[in-house]
Amino acid sequence: MKRISITLFSIFLVFISFAQTGNSIEEEIKELQKKAKLIYNEGVRLAQEGKLTEAHLKFDAALFILPEFAYPYVERAKIKILNQEIDLAKKDIEKAIEINDNVGEAFYLRGYLKLLEDDYQNALTDFTHAIQKEYTKAEAYYYRGLMNFEMNDYNSALIDFTMAIDKKYDYAYAFNDRGSSKRMLGDYHGAIHDYTQALSYDSTIIVAFDNRASCKIKTGDFQGAIEDYTLAIEKDSEFYLALNNRGYAYYLMGNFESALKDFTRAIEINKEYAPAYNNSGITKIKMQNYLGAEDDLNKAIELDAEYGEAYMNRGYAKEFLGKFPAACADWQMAKDLGIEEAEKYLTECE
Amino acid sequence: MKLINTIIISFLILFTTSQFAISQEDVKIKKSDFRIEIKEVGFKDAWKNVKEGEKLFSAGLGTFPQALEHYLKAFKYNSDCAKLNYKIGVCFLATDKFYHATEYLEKAYLKDNNVTDDIHYMLARAYHLNLDFENAIEQYKAYYSSFSVKELEEFEVGVDNYIKQCKYGMDLVNNPVRVIINNLGERVNSEYDDYNPVLHPNLDIMYFTSRRETDGKDRRFEGDNKFYENVFTSEQAGDVWKKAKILDNKLDSKGNESVLTISPDGNKIYLYNGNENGGDIMVSELKKGSWKSPKGISRRILTKDKETTIAFSPDGTEMFFVSNQDGTIGGMDLFYSKLDEKEKWSEPINMGAAINTIYDEEGVYWHPKEDKVYFSSQGHNSMGGFDVFVIERDEEGMWSNPTNLGYPINSPNDDIFFKIDENGKQAYYSSVRDNGAGGKDIYKIIFLGEEKEMKLKTEDILLAWNYKPIENMFYHDPVELKVDTALFMVGLVTDSKTAEKIKLAKVEVIDLEESRVIATGLTDTAGYYQVKIGKKKDYGVEVTAKDYLFFVTMAQLSQKQVVDSKIQANFQLDRIDVGAKMVLKNIFFETNKAALKEESTAELQRVAGLLLDNPTIRLEISGHTDNVGSYRANQKLSEARAKSVVDYLVQQGVAEDRLEYKGYSFNQPIADNNTAEGRAQNRRVEFKVLSK
């Protein structure tokens, strides 16, 4: 009995000893956490002052003290992204999420890197996580809007861009892109309004001129469209898409000479741009230069062997040249490439 | 109305009638009409050109182009001469540049309303050929009304059909067919008339008829002053036809000959020979690579009258031919024959009034695979000259009424010798169109299918991001994290003797570096206090409580362990009892003097506070020294220092009678006087509670 009592007393002492030791480690950890946070905050202040290299060192130091500290990884990743050290940034972001999956900005950054890799689905998921974890900055909504747009979910994109604008009233990019969402949903007047807003906040968004012009075409305002395309071209004389589009507007107005001039200029700027060859070819058909048209359409197809419309159009050029078997071969090719109208014209080949 | 100078001229007498079927007036330009009195310079040459032009004009249509050249030179001298303008207009009307005719004829009329008797007719023709049907009708009517009743009885003016043609023309032009019509170019066509294309079954050789000059010795046909017909051939090389050359001279009849058709095997060629029997159809066979002399076809077909074009059914058992032989409804008509059981051609049958008209039909052609026969007619709903028509045979063997192939295949000019390919996609024929090589030319018709929507492509950069991504847009400035840096000093304040917990004891923490109180706390009922301190370092601490002597100490927190942000520091206070003593550690004097140093103030204030807070107590202030020096000197110094303290306290409002002072020299040491540290401790001021 006495022996038992002594043993129990010994165990009690050991327990007390362990308890005291546990408290000590916990306190040490808390102290380390506090120290790490303080160093982290120093890094934050440096980053706010734009001293990113010094900030990076502080984040390194914080992580040296406390390797399981998510925030320095996040901030370090941001600096690495700015320094184009993408792989290293990814590692930091993954580590941050591994340590603490409630850090919304880590998901936001991971989404951003996936966006850069065109991995839209996963980027969308990450931006959604970021927003759910209360990382609700305008850019988080904007980027998610981009992803929704790229994945053809224009309604969701519209909502996201609206949220981004709600967070940042002068968010010119979000206005432009919301305009494009409206356009894809058939609201051309709404789109024109948004493009105008975008330009009022940032007149260097040249695509907004181009996009507004294309919507004006949809509303039948060809002259207004040409004016907008011209503004875009004046601001960027190498903007071959706007030249191609203005050519299209001229074409619709029956001004084939001006149209051809624009298509030709677009080709001069970008010799690899197949649609300009296609459009030039069509315009030449209208101008009864069928051989010239055939040459242009040959070039369009040479540049893009999967260009179904160009095969269709080359078929027309060949028809005008009396090259019926060749025309039929082109329409067959167009059909094979998914151009449904080709089937109708192939009946003429029977 | 004078018609004395009017001559009747036929173009292409072998096949077609002229567009000037009615007349054109060879009005002579007089010198007095042409000469400008005040402008002698250039007259001589101009007049010479007028005379040359007149000569060529009178010679006939074949030399109208040359006449035109002279007239135009003369025109530079006098552009207001009505007759010259008329002649130029008429010459243009006879060429493929007929669109210039209107301008000159209008001017001729403007300068002289009576320039010629037929000015209205020529204007009508000019408008008609240029598709200005309304003005044409007006001018035809004006021409008609220029005749007297007697003249109308005497002559057949014949503008009714032209007016009908204009009306048909309006309808046809308003409903164009989708075709492309291409001139075969100067390798095939010449400045003269070129017509009746016949393709070899392999489609790589074309035979055609031309009235071009061949070797400089060519004769002109008196009727129209054009060269005689010859058969030419051109070979196709890729997309182009090679330069045409004259066919085997064995086919040359020294007169007019024209190729008509070729057998499906390519070994028989059918020709028109204008010298034979009023114009007959001949056939030549290809043997050992050369064409044999042409022979007349079946006697049942050929008559003393004119047989021109011929077409065989795809199986060769039926034929159509064109003739003005007995039974014609008017001029040249379509006749039909078929092989009988004895492989002989049956008696020809006129195709009847549904197909033939009182005007000419010509250029018959049977589709290579189908029961469709094409021919040209000046009747039916022609819009002018010969138009191309098609008839189809139904399953019961009945031929349909002719259908006009439509504009722009047909025009107000002659459109004839139409040959379509077996797929119905392209055809060749002869026509007079703007900007040809000259005269009639051979054209290729490309039949376009249904009008197709051409697909232009535009692209926009819909997303601003895709045009110009803002690289740093993702970046947001970091935000500091909240860090709980608070450190607490905690502990118990107890009675030094009884260990009783003292409540409401005041604990003040003094930052020694800054010499200020940084935190103050009170003990709770359990004697526990907690005060927030900035850092883990040494602080001064003063503890006061009612009925207790104050306690001042240096809390060496830097040496202590922090547990859960707390550093433990317990304090014991001495109760104010009679006889209780306290060493006033922080009272400092000038060396060997009784004058208080300024840094003693805080401690003296505490003593004053004790006395003021406990107004009944009386204290003895005592001075003590070490044992260095004489007793007397030390006694004197210790007493003086005690008195200095009392004086200070009195100055602070403490009643003098509550204080006593006494110097004890070195009689009451509290430490070893043999050490410096001990002596330092012995040099002190104390107080003792005398009563309370």
Side-chain angles (χ1 to χ4, degrees):
Chain A
M1 186 65 189
K2 189 178 178 183
R3 182 176 291 175
I4 291 169
S5 297
I6 290 169
T7 305
L8 283 172
F9 184 65
S10 301
I11 291 170
F12 176 69
L13 285 178
V14 169
F15 174 73
I16 292 296
S17 171
F18 267 112
Q20 286 174 341
T21 305
N23 279 338
S24 175
I25 289 170
E26 191 178 296
E27 288 307 316
E28 284 298 324
I29 289 170
K30 282 186 179 174
E31 272 306 300
L32 289 174
Q33 284 174 338
K34 199 180 287 179
K35 278 182 186 172
K37 279 185 182 176
L38 289 169
I39 293 170
Y40 167 82
N41 281 347
E42 288 173 25
V44 166
R45 282 190 288 275
L46 288 165
Q48 287 170 345
E49 292 167 12
K51 298 173 181 172
L52 296 181
T53 306
E54 292 89 333
H56 193 295
L57 291 171
K58 288 291 180 187
F59 298 136
D60 286 345
L63 290 171
F64 180 77
I65 292 168
L66 192 63
E68 298 297 303
F69 186 13
Y71 290 99
Y73 285 112
V74 171
E75 294 308 326
R76 201 168 67 172
K78 284 157 68 174
I79 296 170
K80 288 183 191 305
I81 295 171
L82 291 176
N83 292 336
Q84 301 295 314
E85 297 168 321
I86 303 300
D87 288 340
L88 293 173
K90 276 186 198 170
K91 283 183 184 172
D92 275 354
I93 293 164
E94 292 298 342
K95 184 69 180 171
I97 292 170
E98 181 191 320
I99 294 167
N100 183 355
D101 65 2
N102 279 316
V103 181
E105 192 172 13
F107 288 99
Y108 164 81
L109 292 174
R110 192 168 72 176
Y112 176 72
L113 293 181
K114 285 178 177 166
L115 178 159
L116 295 182
E117 293 169 350
D118 296 338
D119 180 1
Y120 301 141
Q121 182 61 62
N122 285 316
L124 178 68
T125 305
D126 275 342
F127 289 129
T128 300
H129 278 144
I131 291 166
Q132 285 170 347
K133 291 171 192 303
E134 298 186 355
Y135 193 78
T136 54
K137 291 196 181 296
E139 286 74 14
Y141 284 106
Y142 175 74
Y143 288 133
R144 191 170 71 169
L146 285 183
M147 297 303 91
N148 276 318
F149 190 98
E150 295 283 13
M151 296 173 72
N152 304 326
D153 183 354
Y154 304 117
N155 279 309
S156 298
L158 180 65
I159 293 166
D160 279 338
F161 292 133
T162 301
M163 287 297 293
I165 291 165
D166 192 47
K167 300 269 175 190
K168 198 190 278 188
Y169 75 96
D170 59 349
Y171 204 161
Y173 269 46
F175 272 112
N176 178 81
D177 296 359
R178 187 174 73 173
S180 294
S181 304
K182 288 179 178 176
R183 174 180 171 184
M184 298 309 287
L185 293 166
D187 176 10
Y188 300 114
H189 290 288
I192 288 169
H193 178 74
D194 274 353
Y195 292 134
T196 303
Q197 286 286 94
L199 289 166
S200 73
Y201 291 121
D202 184 356
S203 63
T204 67
I205 303 180
I206 297 164
V207 287
F209 287 113
D210 179 75
N211 287 327
R212 189 169 67 180
S214 296
C215 286
K216 285 181 177 177
I217 285 182
K218 292 284 185 185
T219 62
D221 179 9
F222 297 152
Q223 193 54 49
I226 284 173
E227 285 166 14
D228 270 350
Y229 286 133
T230 302
L231 283 170
I233 294 161
E234 281 172 0
K235 285 177 180 288
D236 180 358
S237 61
E238 302 291 299
F239 195 0
Y240 62 90
L241 290 180
L243 278 160
N244 184 58
N245 293 343
R246 189 174 68 178
Y248 173 66
Y250 280 129
Y251 177 93
L252 292 178
M253 293 174 77
N255 184 349
F256 300 126
E257 284 189 10
S258 294
L260 187 60
K261 207 177 282 182
D262 275 351
F263 296 138
T264 304
R265 176 73 187 127
I267 290 167
E268 282 170 7
I269 295 167
N270 184 355
K271 292 182 173 54
E272 307 295 311
Y273 188 52
Y277 286 102
N278 175 70
N279 296 348
S280 174
I282 290 172
T283 308
K284 286 178 180 173
I285 289 175
K286 285 285 185 186
M287 297 171 82
Q288 300 182 1
N289 176 7
Y290 306 115
L291 284 170
E294 188 183 26
D295 285 347
D296 280 348
L297 291 160
N298 283 341
K299 186 69 182 173
I301 290 166
E302 183 187 314
L303 289 168
D304 182 359
E306 306 288 304
Y307 195 169
E309 287 87 353
Y311 282 103
M312 280 289 281
N313 296 327
R314 192 173 69 175
Y316 306 151
K318 286 178 174 172
E319 184 189 22
F320 280 109
L321 289 166
K323 299 175 179 176
F324 297 105
C328 292
D330 274 349
W331 291 332
Q332 183 62 51
M333 192 65 184
K335 184 191 166 194
D336 294 344
L337 289 168
I339 308 295
E340 288 178 5
E341 296 98 306
E343 194 154 2
K344 187 168 68 178
Y345 303 135
L346 280 170
T347 59
E348 294 176 10
C349 300
E350 289 168 1
Chain B
M1 167 68 70
K2 285 187 174 181
L3 295 174
I4 295 166
N5 290 327
T6 301
I7 57 170
I8 306 299
I9 298 174
S10 296
F11 283 23
L12 299 174
I13 56 168
L14 300 176
F15 299 103
T16 68
T17 54
S18 162
Q19 19 206 336
F20 302 122
I22 291 179
S23 69
Q24 103 243 349
E25 204 166 343
D26 189 12
V27 60
K28 296 296 179 190
I29 303 171
K30 294 176 186 171
K31 192 184 278 185
S32 58
D33 297 329
F34 182 69
R35 187 173 195 163
I36 303 170
E37 287 188 9
I38 56 168
K39 189 177 175 185
E40 279 302 316
V41 177
F43 170 72
K44 199 174 173 182
D45 285 343
W47 182 243
K48 194 177 171 185
N49 275 308
V50 169
K51 285 197 290 184
E52 283 295 317
E54 294 285 79
K55 197 191 304 178
L56 290 162
F57 187 90
S58 297
L61 289 169
T63 45
F64 273 22
Q66 291 81 0
L68 180 60
E69 286 178 22
H70 289 290
Y71 286 142
L72 287 172
K73 285 177 185 170
F75 184 79
K76 289 178 184 168
Y77 171 78
N78 185 354
S79 62
D80 289 333
C81 176
K83 287 177 182 169
L84 179 61
N85 274 287
Y86 170 84
K87 289 289 182 71
I88 292 171
V90 170
C91 286
F92 270 126
L93 210 50
T95 69
D96 58 319
K97 294 178 179 56
F98 49 84
Y99 47 88
H100 287 309
T102 315
E103 172 190 347
Y104 291 96
L105 292 170
E106 283 177 344
K107 192 167 182 182
Y109 181 72
L110 186 71
K111 293 292 173 189
D112 181 358
N113 289 353
N114 298 307
V115 60
T116 62
D117 291 338
D118 66 353
I119 181 65
H120 288 296
Y121 173 74
M122 287 302 167
L123 271 169
R125 293 301 299 154
Y127 290 133
H128 191 161
L129 292 181
N130 287 292
L131 307 177
D132 185 354
F133 298 116
E134 286 187 8
N135 276 325
I137 290 170
E138 196 177 307
Q139 291 298 323
Y140 282 131
K141 288 179 177 173
Y143 176 65
Y144 184 85
S145 62
S146 68
F147 288 89
S148 67
V149 175
K150 190 180 175 187
E151 286 170 331
L152 288 172
E153 286 172 359
E154 198 173 337
F155 303 105
E156 187 185 342
V157 177
V159 294
D160 289 352
N161 194 41
Y162 286 124
I163 291 173
K164 278 185 194 169
Q165 288 174 349
C166 287
K167 289 178 179 173
Y168 293 137
M170 289 180 196
D171 185 44
L172 292 167
V173 167
N174 286 332
N175 297 282
V177 292
R178 295 197 71 243
V179 290
I180 295 287
I181 301 172
N182 292 325
N183 190 299
L184 289 197
E186 292 183 357
R187 289 170 181 269
V188 173
N189 292 314
S190 68
E191 60 185 293
Y192 305 95
D193 288 339
D194 306 286
Y195 47 86
N196 201 3
V198 175
L199 259 71
H200 188 277
N202 294 339
L203 304 176
D204 55 352
I205 300 173
M206 176 187 286
Y207 303 95
F208 64 97
T209 304
S210 179
R211 297 191 67 177
R212 70 185 66 178
E213 193 171 14
T214 57
D215 57 7
K217 299 173 185 172
D218 304 82
R219 291 183 300 131
R220 287 180 184 267
F221 176 63
E222 289 177 0
D224 59 11
N225 201 30
K226 294 184 179 181
F227 296 111
Y228 279 93
E229 293 176 327
N230 276 302
V231 179
F232 283 74
T233 182
S234 172
E235 292 177 18
Q236 194 165 27
D239 291 338
V240 297
W241 291 98
K242 290 184 182 174
K243 187 157 183 60
K245 55 188 180 184
I246 196 161
L247 192 64
D248 195 326
N249 60 11
K250 283 184 181 172
L251 300 177
D252 190 352
S253 67
K254 308 292 183 190
N256 279 314
E257 64 272 319
S258 175
V259 68
L260 300 177
T261 189
I262 193 163
S263 62
D265 61 7
N267 290 328
K268 286 182 184 174
I269 191 163
Y270 293 83
L271 302 138
Y272 171 79
N273 187 332
N275 292 344
E276 290 287 333
N277 205 16
D280 271 353
I281 297 168
M282 316 290 283
V283 59
S284 171
E285 291 190 44
L286 184 65
K287 286 190 176 172
K288 295 181 180 176
S290 65
W291 295 104
K292 298 297 171 188
S293 293
K295 294 176 182 174
I297 60 166
S298 169
R299 287 182 181 176
R300 282 196 174 169
I301 306 302
L302 301 180
T303 66
K304 60 180 172 42
D305 299 307
K306 186 160 63 175
E307 284 76 34
T308 53
T309 52
I310 189 168
F312 295 96
S313 62
D315 64 2
T317 63
E318 298 172 277
M319 73 152 81
F320 276 102
F321 66 95
V322 173
S323 174
N324 61 353
Q325 62 186 241
D326 288 348
T328 180
I329 290 171
M332 306 298 287
D333 273 4
L334 260 61
F335 287 82
Y336 170 82
S337 176
K338 67 176 181 180
L339 287 176
D340 61 17
E341 293 168 352
K342 295 178 183 174
E343 297 285 305
K344 301 286 184 187
W345 289 108
S346 65
E347 198 64 36
I349 301 167
N350 186 296
M351 287 300 291
I355 291 170
N356 292 315
T357 66
I358 58 168
Y359 305 100
D360 284 343
E361 278 69 43
E362 254 304 351
V364 68
Y365 176 74
W366 202 311
H367 190 284
K369 288 198 168 173
E370 297 175 18
D371 268 350
K372 286 183 181 175
V373 170
Y374 298 85
F375 64 97
S376 293
S377 173
Q378 295 171 321
H380 302 296
N381 61 335
S382 163
M383 64 192 291
F386 280 110
D387 272 10
V388 184
F389 292 84
V390 62
I391 53 174
E392 286 187 71
R393 186 159 58 181
D394 64 21
E395 289 175 355
E396 293 172 359
M398 299 297 292
W399 289 96
S400 67
N401 288 330
T403 302
N404 190 308
L405 289 196
Y407 172 84
I409 295 172
N410 289 318
S411 70
N413 248 307
D414 287 336
D415 307 292
I416 192 167
F417 305 123
F418 179 89
K419 312 283 168 55
I420 195 166
D421 71 0
E422 61 180 38
N423 296 319
K425 286 290 185 185
Q426 51 192 15
Y428 293 88
Y429 79 148
S430 165
S431 184
V432 183
R433 313 186 82 83
D434 297 356
N435 295 316
K440 287 180 168 51
D441 279 347
I442 297 170
Y443 288 85
K444 179 181 181 179
I445 303 170
I446 296 167
F447 287 88
L448 304 174
E450 183 184 332
E451 184 163 6
K452 298 164 183 76
E453 185 191 351
M454 288 184 281
K455 302 274 184 185
L456 276 87
K457 188 166 185 178
T458 60
E459 287 179 322
D460 293 309
I461 301 175
L462 292 169
L463 301 173
W465 173 265
N466 287 344
Y467 178 69
K468 192 176 70 179
I470 300 175
E471 286 184 2
N472 299 346
M473 194 164 86
F474 80 95
Y475 185 84
H476 298 120
D477 272 340
V479 178
E480 288 185 42
L481 293 174
K482 284 182 182 173
V483 183
D484 187 3
T485 54
L487 189 63
F488 295 92
M489 185 175 80
V490 298
L492 291 170
V493 178
T494 55
D495 188 296
S496 60
K497 287 183 180 166
T498 64
E500 186 184 339
K501 312 268 189 313
I502 302 171
K503 64 179 179 182
L504 297 177
K506 183 180 173 186
V507 180
E508 287 183 320
V509 182
I510 300 151
D511 188 318
L512 296 171
E513 292 166 5
E514 298 179 14
S515 296
R516 67 183 182 92
V517 175
I518 61 157
T520 303
L522 289 174
T523 55
D524 58 16
T525 52
Y528 180 80
Y529 76 93
Q530 176 172 301
V531 287
K532 189 176 177 181
I533 57 175
K535 292 179 180 174
K536 186 186 175 190
K537 65 176 187 178
D538 296 344
Y539 290 96
V541 177
E542 179 183 338
V543 185
T544 54
K546 191 170 184 298
D547 299 331
Y548 285 89
L549 298 177
F550 63 83
F551 178 76
V552 177
T553 187
M554 168 81 82
Q556 294 180 312
L557 303 187
S558 60
Q559 306 295 317
K560 293 199 171 187
Q561 191 177 19
V562 178
V563 178
D564 196 16
S565 302
K566 292 170 187 167
I567 299 173
Q568 190 83 27
N570 297 330
F571 303 106
Q572 292 179 327
L573 299 186
D574 294 331
R575 184 176 282 277
I576 303 174
D577 287 330
V578 174
K581 290 181 179 175
M582 173 179 264
V583 176
L584 300 173
K585 292 177 182 172
N586 297 309
I587 290 179
F588 307 99
F589 296 94
E590 301 285 340
T591 305
N592 291 324
K593 291 181 180 172
L596 286 162
K597 284 187 171 179
E598 195 172 339
E599 50 263 44
S600 308
T601 306
E603 188 84 330
L604 290 168
Q605 284 294 324
R606 285 186 204 103
V607 178
L610 175 71
L611 286 162
L612 293 171
D613 289 344
N614 298 279
T616 60
I617 63 171
R618 291 184 70 247
L619 298 182
E620 178 199 81
I621 308 296
S622 57
H624 302 268
T625 64
D626 59 19
N627 63 354
V628 178
S630 68
Y631 176 83
R632 177 174 288 276
N634 280 321
Q635 196 280 326
K636 191 176 177 182
L637 180 62
S638 61
E639 186 174 293
R641 285 181 169 177
K643 185 172 184 299
S644 292
V645 171
V646 168
D647 289 346
Y648 181 89
L649 294 172
V650 170
Q651 283 173 11
Q652 298 302 309
V654 178
E656 195 173 355
D657 59 355
R658 293 177 65 195
L659 298 167
E660 291 180 13
Y661 62 90
K662 198 167 183 180
Y664 287 97
S665 187
F666 45 68
N667 278 349
Q668 293 181 7
I670 57 173
D672 186 357
N673 270 319
N674 292 316
T675 66
E677 190 180 345
R679 286 194 293 275
Q681 287 183 46
N682 286 332
R683 294 192 296 273
R684 68 191 190 278
V685 172
E686 287 182 359
F687 70 74
K688 181 172 76 178
V689 179
L690 297 174
S691 64
K692 63 173 188 176

